[in-house]
Amino acid sequence: MAPTQTQSAVTSAQLPAASLKALAPPAPSTTPTPSPTLGKTRPIPMNRVMTSIDYKNMRFVVFDAPTDSNLEAYLEELKLRNVGDIVRVCDPTYCTDLCTEAGIKVSDWSFADGSIPPAHVINGFLSLCNERFPGGLTGAATFQGDPGMNGVKAIGVHCVAGLGRAPILVAISLIEAGMSPLDAVEYVRARRRGAFNTIQLNYLVETYKRSFIKKSNGVSAPKMASFSFGAFKKDRSSSPTGSQVGGREVLDQSASELGQTASMTASVTALPLPGKETSKGFKGWFSKKA
């Protein structure tokens, strides 16, 4: 006689505790899944913290300031983005020893929060760009595919939040590379939302002028952009065509008319910037606007 369903059924009370535990569905895991990229858990989504900005032959990574507690996670992401330099434009918030061990050089060019970079910071940053990127600031090469695969090292730039001081240096580099100021602002903002305050925007669009050149011997230096013969009126030129090319002739003629010596004429290139005191004979003449 076949056993009935009641006879063949086994209640949970008759099973040993070990069997019940084995048959129970697995409890949800409370351990975070490691990142497939970095192989470790990170408390911050790095794709929101770091912004890559590539243009022609230049590569930048803009981010906020790490601390000693999360620096390792930042460095792993920076290495994935092929960053070879970090430019820190705020007060130090971490020790740079780990950066050095990772083969990343840190340059400290701090300036005031919400302000525009001083001349020595701009010149230092542009010199670094000119040295690191193939072809310098005037390089026309563009990346094919993933720029990180081309072996081009990126320059990482950070301030406290990565929204003011760091992006403005990147925008200045884009302007020096040939981009118009408005296009540079839009280009950076499209990738780093919220970049620039009003002071920085006015500086980029209204004040900053392209002034960095690459010398033929490979040494970079700023132009004397604030002193230009092009500012003279055409009717002052001794050139028959009235062109601005005759600025040197105008300068020599004026020096002669004022009774200046030849040595004073030869020292014109060392004149101070507009607005600063000049020699008495030249002060009024140079202050006139075209």
Side-chain angles (χ1 to χ4, degrees):
M1 180 178 178
T4 63
Q5 183 176 0
T6 303
Q7 293 174 325
S8 61
V10 180
T11 63
S12 60
Q14 296 173 306
L15 291 173
S19 299
L20 286 175
K21 184 177 181 180
L23 293 174
S29 174
T30 57
T31 303
T33 303
S35 167
T37 303
L38 299 182
K40 64 186 295 184
T41 303
R42 296 179 305 191
I44 305 173
M46 287 296 167
N47 60 335
R48 297 184 181 182
V49 172
M50 296 188 180
T51 303
S52 293
I53 301 177
D54 299 337
Y55 178 68
K56 290 186 176 179
N57 61 322
M58 302 190 298
R59 300 190 63 219
F60 301 99
V61 177
V62 179
F63 55 101
D64 64 352
T67 63
D68 286 325
S69 62
N70 59 17
L71 180 59
E72 289 187 12
Y74 275 73
L75 287 176
E76 291 190 38
E77 185 71 18
L78 290 172
K79 286 187 288 185
L80 287 176
R81 296 172 187 251
N82 205 21
V83 171
D85 290 88
I86 292 177
V87 174
R88 183 165 58 182
V89 294
C90 61
D91 293 334
T93 57
Y94 55 92
C95 178
T96 61
D97 291 345
L98 288 179
C99 302
T100 304
E101 293 175 6
I104 299 176
K105 179 182 177 181
V106 179
S107 299
D108 280 305
W109 288 319
S110 176
F111 58 98
D113 185 20
S115 68
I116 61 176
H120 75 276
V121 172
I122 295 176
N123 289 335
F125 186 76
L126 293 179
S127 296
L128 180 64
C129 296
N130 202 57
E131 178 183 348
R132 292 292 188 266
F133 299 136
L137 289 169
T138 60
T142 57
F143 298 118
Q144 300 294 330
D146 181 11
M149 300 303 293
N150 293 351
V152 178
K153 291 285 187 179
I155 296 178
V157 195
H158 81 79
C159 48
V160 174
L163 297 176
R165 289 172 283 184
I168 194 173
L169 288 179
V170 174
I172 287 173
S173 301
L174 297 180
I175 294 173
E176 292 291 345
M179 192 178 288
S180 72
L182 280 176
D183 287 343
V185 168
E186 292 178 358
Y187 194 84
V188 173
R189 275 191 157 180
R191 291 154 179 79
R192 188 76 176 176
R193 297 183 60 183
F196 313 124
N197 60 24
T198 302
I199 294 175
Q200 293 161 344
L201 282 173
N202 289 337
Y203 173 76
L204 289 171
V205 177
E206 301 293 339
T207 304
Y208 186 80
K209 305 299 179 184
R210 189 178 297 124
S211 59
F212 196 88
I213 58 174
K214 183 177 181 182
K215 298 289 188 179
S216 58
N217 60 0
V219 179
S220 303
K223 291 180 182 178
M224 291 297 292
S226 56
F227 178 76
S228 172
F229 292 118
F232 302 154
K233 289 185 178 180
K234 291 183 179 180
D235 58 2
R236 292 179 182 268
S237 174
S238 59
S239 171
T241 60
S243 66
Q244 296 177 357
V245 178
R248 172 59 65 179
E249 298 174 358
V250 174
L251 185 61
D252 294 340
Q253 180 181 357
S254 299
S256 176
E257 292 173 355
L258 293 172
Q260 304 299 322
T261 62
S263 61
M264 182 178 294
T265 304
S267 64
V268 160
T269 55
L271 286 173
L273 298 177
K276 294 186 177 180
E277 195 67 25
T278 61
S279 62
K280 184 176 179 181
F282 285 94
K283 182 177 179 181
W285 193 70
F286 279 111
S287 63
K288 293 181 181 181
K289 297 183 179 179

